[in-house]
Amino acid sequence: MKIVLHDKEFEPFIKEVAIQNRINAMAEELSDEYRNKTPLFISMLNGAFWFTADLLKQFNGDCEISFVKFKSYSGMESSGEISQSIGLDTDINGRDIIILEDIIDTGKTLAVFLEVLKKYAPASVKIVTLLLKPDALLHDIKADYIGFEIPSDFIVGYGLDYDGLGRNYRDIYVVKK
């Protein structure tokens, strides 16, 4: 099923069942790695809220969650400017931190956030992303867990939007060329 958002047409790219299967596998790996620990998951809003909810439902162990919000997109392009509208409100000194991202493309948002985190001396920091666009990376960001590597096409669905629309779709769609 194709969808139209604003002035663009999108076609199916990754089905919900594939997304859920990959999330379940990552949650199992994280549960094993953090057995007998209480990590703090930090979810990058708005896009990662679906991913965060589904991953944490499958995480088997004690954990805490916090949210931060950065914005870098306008329409289908990164603005190049990063603005933070919800900041870290939890003490992370000495904590095991797991950053949850919906998508890493240029890596600029994460590069900015990682610099902020360093000031608070966490014990460890891991990056978990549902989607990675390796060809778009402009910063030295190394994700520890990757759901899917994808091309540098614009996508929507499963929390990702195009000017506010499309987050609510269960599948991920790619812009039709």
Side-chain angles (χ1 to χ4, degrees), residues 146-167:
I146 300 166
F148 302 92
E149 285 191 10
I150 63 171
S152 294
D153 299 321
F154 191 79
I155 57 173
V156 298
Y158 197 75
L160 298 150
D161 74 305
Y162 171 38
D163 273 348
L165 298 180
R167 290 189 195 278

Side-chain angles (χ1 to χ4, degrees), residues 10-162:
F10 294 84
E11 53 193 12
F13 184 61
I14 305 174
K15 292 289 194 185
E16 179 185 23
V17 67
I19 296 167
Q20 294 305 321
N21 287 341
R22 186 63 191 117
I23 289 171
N24 293 347
M26 287 192 295
E28 188 174 319
E29 291 175 50
L30 286 162
S31 297
D32 288 344
E33 182 173 348
Y34 289 91
R35 178 163 289 140
N36 300 320
K37 294 183 178 184
T38 305
L40 172 64
F41 287 90
I42 299 177
S43 179
M44 305 290 280
L45 294 175
N46 284 339
F49 76 98
W50 275 35
F51 175 51
T52 298
D54 287 346
L55 183 91
L56 289 183
K57 284 187 278 186
Q58 300 303 318
F59 182 78
N60 186 15
D62 292 333
C63 66
E64 293 180 48
I65 179 127
S66 187
F67 299 90
V68 295
K69 184 175 182 178
F70 291 85
K71 184 175 181 177
S72 65
Y73 263 78
S74 177
M76 291 177 53
E77 301 292 326
S78 177
S79 66
E81 298 296 317
I82 306 294
S83 63
Q84 182 176 352
S85 55
I86 298 175
L88 194 58
D89 64 354
T90 304
D91 182 12
I92 65 167
N93 184 276
R95 300 286 311 269
D96 292 309
I97 304 300
I98 303 171
I99 300 170
L100 299 178
E101 259 291 23
D102 55 345
I103 187 166
I104 300 172
D105 46 31
T106 67
K108 185 169 186 170
T109 303
L110 265 181
V112 168
F113 186 52
L114 289 170
E115 285 303 312
V116 170
L117 286 181
K118 283 181 188 177
K119 297 175 187 175
Y120 297 101
S124 68
V125 176
K126 296 278 177 132
I127 298 170
V128 179
T129 187
L130 179 62
L131 304 165
L132 173 67
K133 293 182 178 179
D135 294 339
L137 270 177
L138 299 175
H139 296 268
D140 188 24
I141 300 293
K142 302 283 189 250
D144 300 283
Y145 294 86
I146 300 166
F148 302 92
E149 285 191 10
I150 63 171
S152 294
D153 299 321
F154 191 79
I155 57 173
V156 298
Y158 197 75
L160 298 150
D161 74 305
Y162 171 38

